[in-house]
Amino acid sequence: MKRSLYYKFILGYVVFGLLGFLLISTFSSKMAFDYLLQEKAGLLYDEANQLASDCSAVYNGETTSLETVAQQLCVISPSLQSEIWVVNRNGTIVADSNDGARRGLLVDFDPTAIGNQNYGIGNFYGAFPYDVLSVSAPITGNYTTYGYILIHMPISQIQASRDWILNVVYITSAILFLLSLIILLIFTQTVFFPLKKISRGVDEYASGNLEYRIKLASHDEMGYLAETLNYMSDKLNEMEEYQKTFIANISHDFRSPLTSIKGYLEAIIDGTIPPEMQEKYLTRVITETERLNKLTQGMLTLNTLDSKGLLSRTNFDINRVIKDTAASFEVICNQKNLSFDLTFADNIQMVYADMGKIQQVLYNLIDNAIKFSHSNSTIYIQASPKYEKIFISVKDTGIGIPKNSLKKIWERFYKTDLSRGKDKKGTGLGLSIVKEIIQAHGENIDVVSTEGVGSEFIFSLPRSTNL
């Protein structure tokens, strides 16, 4: 977020206010003036027709006289804020509302100049030094036009009424504009200040300070964004710590066998190891290279799982896979005098999974069970259905896992002190690979262990639907 964002918003707000004022002062002014003009013209025209009807009696020989009409004009004129004339056909003003001050001949008077409209605007043939609104109504009788009633209202009167209306509009608009500042305050509190805090947090994360926390107490989208960024920074921090641990662990696990290999080979070259002993130490070199190869293969497997490699799912008999995997450990089991106890709920139990990956899971779990089992003991493997799952259990009666290590055994390169002492060939990747494979299948794996009693690993697989 740039620092000018807030000022841009304020500038836009001010421009909005100015444009609104200009629109009101132009369109509203014209609309108000046109409305008042039409209204006043209609009012004056009605009054002119009424006066024309009264004057018709004079020209029809009735008792009413022009003097009486003139007095009537003087009474009506102030209420209309207008000047009223009675004009004959020749254009001579015979009566007016100014006590006869306007009497005389109108030069170039043309009663048809107004045309189809009820009113006209101008100085009315130079009779006024300012613009007036003029309306006319014919004085008729016996199908004869005797003259005209003319009413003139100064345009300034209409403009004054328009200005009064506009003042009300301006004041109301100004109040609304000031009240709309509440929106600006709300924007400042709910958007601008939180954005500043979030921007500060992003700058801290970019500079490498992943422990910085964005503190926002709101529960809206801004608060959600802040919590998301905090969560992201925590995960990035964990990833950074994991990378450091990863490098440290892999450096350790590679350095030990490489040091041994280098030492043995140097001893053979410089003659420290006599020829008759070289075969023994070359065998150890091969053992160390196999350990390095195993570590590399484990890392490649984890990398494949991390990249969301596709599973080749098929339907297969899990009982057969368990039997074949257990049989592959026959030589090692004979050396420690270990035996397997295989228990299956049915003769055939079909599952839908990646057969090769599940073989690797079973291999790693059985390999661990053998490593940490006492000689002359039994390893129990069980497969039983429950609902739409097949649950597989691998249980040993060995040294068990310390309680404080149970949550860490799934971490990559993690080894308990007991495992380091018991077997230095382990890579610390076996159980990590197991968990990654099971989770890739959308299933779970749990462990139950008691130190000095043994451990049991239980995982589930989906049952095959095509039996």
Side-chain angles (χ1 to χ4, degrees):
M1 183 196 66
K2 297 182 179 179
R3 294 186 181 277
S4 60
L5 175 62
Y6 186 63
Y7 303 105
K8 288 179 180 178
F9 184 84
I10 294 178
L11 179 61
Y13 186 78
V14 173
V15 170
F16 170 78
L18 292 176
L19 289 177
F21 175 78
L22 290 175
L23 288 174
I24 291 174
S25 61
T26 52
F27 291 101
S28 297
S29 177
K30 186 177 185 306
M31 291 173 62
F33 181 80
D34 290 343
Y35 171 76
L36 291 172
L37 186 66
Q38 294 289 340
E39 184 183 37
K40 294 295 184 182
L43 177 65
L44 296 180
Y45 184 74
D46 291 341
E47 192 66 33
N49 278 317
Q50 181 63 44
L51 290 173
S53 177
D54 294 341
C55 289
S56 295
V58 176
Y59 292 96
N60 288 333
E62 297 183 11
T63 57
T64 305
S65 64
L66 284 176
E67 287 76 11
T68 303
V69 172
Q71 293 176 358
Q72 186 178 3
L73 298 182
C74 293
V75 173
I76 297 174
S77 176
S79 63
L80 295 178
Q81 296 181 325
S82 305
E83 193 171 324
I84 307 173
W85 300 346
V86 178
V87 182
N88 63 21
R89 293 174 60 184
N90 298 325
T92 302
I93 301 174
V94 296
D96 63 73
S97 59
N98 288 337
D99 294 329
R102 291 285 187 178
R103 291 186 182 183
L105 180 64
L106 290 173
V107 180
D108 298 327
F109 173 68
D110 183 5
T112 63
I114 296 178
N116 295 328
Q117 292 183 331
N118 294 330
Y119 66 89
I121 297 176
N123 59 11
F124 204 77
Y125 303 104
F128 298 94
Y130 48 82
D131 288 341
V132 294
L133 168 66
S134 302
V135 298
S136 67
I139 301 172
T140 59
N142 297 322
Y143 304 103
T144 302
T145 298
Y146 298 107
Y148 302 91
I149 294 292
L150 296 174
I151 301 179
H152 309 286
M153 174 180 283
I155 291 297
S156 60
Q157 294 288 341
I158 300 176
Q159 291 174 337
S161 298
R162 178 203 62 187
D163 293 342
W164 184 88
I165 294 174
L166 287 179
N167 287 335
V168 174
V169 173
Y170 290 151
I171 293 172
T172 304
S173 300
I175 293 173
L176 290 176
F177 183 76
L178 293 175
L179 289 176
S180 65
L181 289 174
I182 297 174
I183 299 175
L184 182 61
L185 294 176
I186 294 175
F187 171 82
T188 302
Q189 293 295 327
T190 61
V191 177
F192 178 68
F193 287 155
L195 275 179
K196 286 189 67 176
K197 292 182 179 180
I198 292 173
S199 178
R200 170 69 184 279
V202 172
D203 290 339
E204 292 290 335
Y205 300 152
S207 63
N209 183 15
L210 296 176
E211 295 182 357
Y212 182 84
R213 302 292 296 176
I214 301 174
K215 297 179 181 179
L216 279 182
S218 61
H219 300 285
D220 53 11
E221 287 79 1
M222 288 296 176
Y224 176 77
L225 177 59
E227 288 300 321
T228 302
L229 289 174
N230 287 333
Y231 178 78
M232 180 195 71
S233 67
D234 291 340
K235 291 300 179 183
L236 289 175
N237 195 30
E238 291 177 5
M239 183 62 67
E240 185 176 1
E241 292 298 324
Y242 166 76
Q243 289 177 348
K244 292 179 181 178
T245 304
F246 176 86
I247 293 173
N249 288 333
I250 197 172
S251 298
H252 175 272
D253 285 326
F254 270 88
R255 184 173 60 248
S256 296
L258 286 174
T259 301
S260 299
I261 292 172
K262 181 175 180 292
Y264 293 145
L265 293 178
E266 287 177 346
I268 292 173
I269 291 173
D270 62 21
T272 303
I273 298 177
E276 63 271 13
M277 297 291 293
Q278 288 181 2
E279 182 178 354
K280 173 184 176 181
Y281 288 100
L282 286 175
T283 302
R284 291 184 181 179
V285 169
I286 293 174
T287 301
E288 293 297 334
T289 57
E290 289 176 349
R291 180 183 172 189
L292 288 175
N293 182 63
K294 185 178 180 182
L295 180 61
T296 303
Q297 290 299 325
M299 291 173 60
L300 290 174
T301 300
L302 285 174
N303 184 62
T304 302
L305 294 172
D306 285 344
S307 62
K308 307 296 182 184
L310 297 177
L311 299 174
S312 300
R313 296 175 185 259
T314 57
N315 296 312
F316 62 90
D317 182 12
I318 189 63
N319 295 355
R320 172 53 55 190
V321 173
I322 292 173
K323 291 176 182 178
D324 293 342
T325 306
S328 66
F329 289 93
E330 181 179 358
V331 175
I332 299 176
C333 289
N334 289 337
Q335 293 173 357
K336 296 183 66 173
N337 197 23
L338 297 176
S339 61
F340 288 103
D341 184 342
L342 307 182
T343 304
F344 304 123
D346 295 308
N347 292 331
I348 298 177
Q349 298 185 102
M350 301 295 290
V351 296
Y352 182 64
D354 188 318
M355 184 174 173
K357 295 289 193 298
I358 298 305
Q359 283 178 324
Q360 188 171 5
V361 168
L362 290 168
Y363 184 92
N364 289 354
L365 292 178
I366 295 173
D367 184 52
N368 268 2
I370 292 173
K371 287 179 184 178
F372 304 117
S373 290
H374 302 296
S375 299
N376 304 313
S377 62
T378 302
I379 296 174
Y380 300 90
I381 304 177
Q382 182 178 0
S384 58
K386 187 175 183 181
Y387 303 113
E388 301 301 321
K389 307 284 186 183
I390 299 291
F391 288 85
I392 297 94
S393 165
V394 178
K395 180 180 179 182
D396 64 70
T397 55
I399 61 177
I401 303 171
K403 187 176 181 180
N404 59 359
S405 298
L406 280 176
K407 293 183 179 180
K408 301 178 182 179
I409 60 174
W410 309 110
E411 297 178 5
R412 299 178 183 184
F413 298 105
Y414 179 78
K415 301 177 184 178
T416 63
D417 291 338
L418 287 175
S419 71
R420 289 186 184 274
K422 189 79 176 177
D423 176 28
K424 295 184 181 295
K425 296 181 180 180
T427 63
L429 295 176
L431 290 180
S432 296
I433 294 173
V434 166
K435 188 167 186 178
E436 293 284 352
I437 292 174
I438 296 300
Q439 287 183 339
H441 282 79
E443 301 295 330
N444 297 308
I445 182 168
D446 295 312
V447 59
V448 179
S449 182
T450 302
E451 194 170 0
V453 177
S455 304
E456 181 180 12
F457 290 85
I458 306 169
F459 65 93
S460 60
L461 292 175
R463 296 180 69 176
S464 174
T465 56
N466 299 323
L467 297 179

